[in-house]
Amino acid sequence: MLRWRLSGINFSRMNEPGVPTPAMLRSRGRDQAKLHERAANAARAKFGDRVFVRAVVEISNFCREDCRYCGMRRSNRALTRLRARAEQLTELLLQHTPASVTDVNLQAGEDPVAAREVALPLIRALRKETDLGISVCLGTLDPALFAALKDAGATVNILKFEMADAENYSQFSAPGTLAERTETIRYLAATGWHVSSGFIEGLPGQTEEDLLANFSLARSLPLRGCSVSPFIPGEETPLADARTGEAEVTLNCMAALRLMRPDWVIPAVSALNLAQPGSGYARGLGTGANLVTINLTPPEVRKDYLLYKRDRFIMTEERILDEIARAGLTPSRQSLAEYYKSNPVNGAKAPHAEQRAEAART
Ligand code: 5AD
């Protein structure tokens, strides 16, 4: 009898904290405060009081995708499209990167031209002149371009799966198919990238089941980090009249992610401040988020870099340092890139060693 019972237990999962429960996502009041505190403590146990500070530079708002939730979608004709010049950004980053910044994230709409002509030379210059860690968030590119970015010196790739349901994914016209997206995430990890992903809370029509499915998908992928953004109805998108995501639910999702994966890098996204003006960002740090972003995009590019609304909430170094201090935390001196390199996943010798060996064979 005992043996029969034991054989019904899945031992491989016993040490893994599970996916969150609906109660977690719904929690409010005292239960919610406890949940967030548990998550913040889990982050402290792993990272101490350190928070990574990364600068984001938006290099192009051209986009060949047409996601219904995103203001940069190719169908948005109201947007002036711009590609930054590599020399201008190189100068900006070499001369004006704030002292607290250890990493840079180069971000764009899905624009292979910008990846090749702006990101590549910029990464080469940064690699040569600085010890900044380099992340890219440039969408799905072809393998040769991904490889070139990595050879130039980028080590972190951010590719969001956006939502875990394939049907919804296609309804929202997210890039390619969900299967292709997750395949690309696995491919990036297998070819040596540290991959971070993310999903959106509160997309129109999203059910609690849909939201929970994001956690199962995230934990099945070879990720080093994951973000949750509240849905912000974009002014010039088909979803302009939809409701904003719920900051409280987004925060609960962040706490749940932290408890599910204590060693992941989880950002406090600036959209939290749009969903909950004034306090969203600080509360993100209170759920165990351990990455903040300073926006260094030159103003002339920034005004047309439209994910949501024209009145974006821009995080400057001063604001960021203030929020970090208010949360009782300190900027990390170690870069995100160094952290990933020196902390293999789940105690493995090298991250995703098997997949890497497999990729090398094929
Ligand atoms: N609300 C929230 N997040 C959005 N993104 C794009 N549009 C929105 C929106 N309206 C996020 C997506 C995308 C990233 C660049 O911004 O996750 O991958």
Side-chain angles (χ1 to χ4, degrees):
M1 185 62 185
L2 183 64
R3 179 180 286 179
W4 178 83
R5 276 218 203 133
L6 285 176
S7 68
I9 297 173
N10 182 347
F11 283 98
S12 65
R13 292 203 160 191
M14 274 186 63
N15 293 326
E16 282 194 71
V19 297
T21 58
M24 257 185 195
L25 302 189
R26 281 182 210 156
S27 76
R28 295 288 189 282
R30 202 184 295 167
D31 283 350
Q32 185 185 30
K34 270 198 222 145
L35 169 69
H36 293 192
E37 195 183 318
R38 271 204 298 140
N41 287 341
R44 275 187 190 258
K46 177 72 198 162
F47 297 95
D49 62 358
R50 305 288 153 165
V51 179
F52 296 105
V53 181
R54 180 165 67 188
V56 62
V57 180
E58 292 144 341
I59 66 173
S60 163
N61 66 354
F62 284 88
C63 189
R64 62 183 176 186
E65 298 294 346
D66 211 23
C67 311
R68 292 173 63 78
Y69 46 83
C70 185
M72 253 191 304
R73 63 203 305 265
R74 66 167 187 266
S75 302
N76 181 2
R77 307 263 171 238
L79 203 58
T80 308
R81 305 283 174 166
L82 292 168
R83 243 172 234 132
R85 285 182 306 110
E87 313 83 74
Q88 177 197 17
L89 296 181
T90 305
E91 144 95 19
L92 171 84
L93 286 169
L94 294 185
Q95 309 293 333
H96 301 289
T97 301
S100 56
V101 167
T102 55
D103 294 78
V104 175
N105 177 29
L106 307 182
Q107 194 168 299
E110 196 168 283
D111 176 11
V113 175
R116 206 173 300 115
E117 293 178 7
V118 187
L120 268 181
L122 183 54
I123 294 169
R124 289 194 188 109
L126 290 173
R127 192 63 307 124
K128 194 157 146 237
E129 309 281 342
T130 76
D131 53 10
L132 291 164
I134 303 170
S135 309
V136 292
C137 182
L138 301 171
T140 304
L141 303 172
D142 68 62
L145 195 43
F146 276 140
L149 293 163
K150 188 151 69 65
D151 289 346
T155 62
V156 179
N157 204 312
I158 302 163
L159 194 69
K160 303 191 183 190
F161 62 76
E162 315 283 23
M163 68 205 85
D165 181 86
E167 179 70 20
N168 293 338
Y169 189 95
S170 121
Q171 292 290 318
F172 282 109
S173 309
T177 64
L178 180 63
E180 285 163 7
R181 195 74 164 178
T182 55
E183 202 45 49
T184 306
I185 289 173
R186 292 181 203 283
Y187 171 80
L188 289 169
T191 51
W193 289 92
H194 302 295
V195 188
S196 191
S197 193
F199 60 91
I200 303 173
E201 177 282 322
L203 279 166
Q206 185 180 62
T207 64
E208 194 168 63
E209 195 187 342
D210 291 337
L211 191 55
L212 282 165
N214 290 308
F215 293 86
S216 314
L217 178 57
R219 66 186 258 146
S220 77
L221 293 170
L223 300 178
R224 306 300 310 267
C226 189
S227 67
V228 194
S229 303
F231 168 70
I232 310 287
E235 270 165 19
E236 282 148 19
T237 69
L239 304 176
D241 296 329
R243 284 177 50 179
T244 301
E246 270 191 69
E248 298 303 333
V249 180
T250 304
L251 292 163
N252 291 347
C253 285
M254 291 167 65
L257 268 183
R258 172 57 70 208
L259 292 169
M260 183 174 92
R261 289 283 190 258
D263 64 340
W264 271 4
V265 171
I266 300 176
V269 300
S270 62
L272 275 171
N273 267 336
L274 290 173
Q276 192 166 82
S279 65
Y281 206 81
R283 291 193 57 212
L285 288 175
T287 67
N290 64 334
L291 168 62
V292 297
T293 301
I294 295 179
N295 195 307
L296 289 188
T297 307
E300 64 274 20
V301 182
R302 186 189 289 163
K303 79 175 185 344
D304 285 302
Y305 197 89
L306 192 69
L307 285 177
Y308 334 109
K309 307 181 182 203
R310 292 207 182 257
D311 56 337
R312 295 176 62 188
F313 195 91
I314 297 297
M315 297 303 286
T316 58
E317 186 188 32
E318 198 185 356
R319 237 179 218 166
I320 285 285
L321 294 181
D322 204 54
E323 298 280 13
I324 293 175
R326 268 180 27 194
L329 300 166
T330 326
S332 170
R333 290 320 308 150
Q334 183 188 40
S335 72
L336 197 55
E338 280 300 320
Y339 165 72
Y340 283 141
K341 211 159 81 184
S342 59
N343 283 269
V345 181
N346 298 331
K349 285 247 164 42
H352 318 300
E354 274 170 34
Q355 291 104 307
R356 266 155 110 166
E358 178 65 33
R361 278 196 294 275
T362 52

